[in-house]
Amino acid sequence: EIYMIAGSKHTLYYDIYDENDAPMDMSGASIELRICEFGRPSNVTLIKSGEYIGSPINRFCVELDSEDTVHLSGKYVQQPTVTDELEEEYLPSQG
């Protein structure tokens, strides 16, 4: 869970692991974050691209600017989507 105030900046980090809980090398992959109102998954409020950090080898981050959060109020669900170098999509987690 993440708590924040509307209009604030926040950095979200996502670490990607394989089915054996080993860190995956995500070089060449990309991430996109979708934020939806809780209980309304078809109502996407924000779509934001992130970047591969590379240290550790499995980490991405998504920077939320104050403009991204200023109109948010209530509970939301975040869904990151990772696309690897072969253009395959993975939904690593939801929260």
Side-chain angles (χ1 to χ4, degrees), residues 3 9 43 62 67 70 86 90-91:
Y3 297 94
K9 296 180 179 183
N43 189 12
V62 177
E67 298 83 27
V70 71
L86 301 175
Y90 301 93
L91 304 174

Side-chain angles (χ1 to χ4, degrees), residues 8-86:
S8 63
K9 296 180 179 183
H10 197 79
T11 302
L12 304 173
Y13 295 97
Y14 300 95
D15 296 333
I16 311 301
Y17 297 90
D18 68 13
E19 62 275 356
N20 298 315
D21 290 329
M24 294 179 65
D25 183 352
M26 300 308 298
S27 300
S30 62
I31 192 168
E32 180 179 83
L33 176 67
R34 292 175 183 262
I35 296 179
C36 309
E37 289 182 63
F38 183 79
R40 299 179 66 193
S42 62
N43 189 12
V44 178
T45 304
L46 176 68
I47 298 174
K48 185 88 178 195
S49 294
E51 65 179 291
Y52 174 64
I53 296 177
S55 180
I57 63 169
N58 62 330
R59 181 165 284 180
F60 290 94
C61 77
V62 177
E63 299 277 342
L64 298 179
D65 299 320
S66 57
E67 298 83 27
D68 298 324
T69 67
V70 71
H71 298 293
L72 300 181
S73 171
K75 291 185 179 185
Y76 291 83
V77 175
Q78 54 178 312
Q79 178 60 69
T81 302
V82 175
T83 305
D84 68 14
E85 66 278 354
L86 301 175

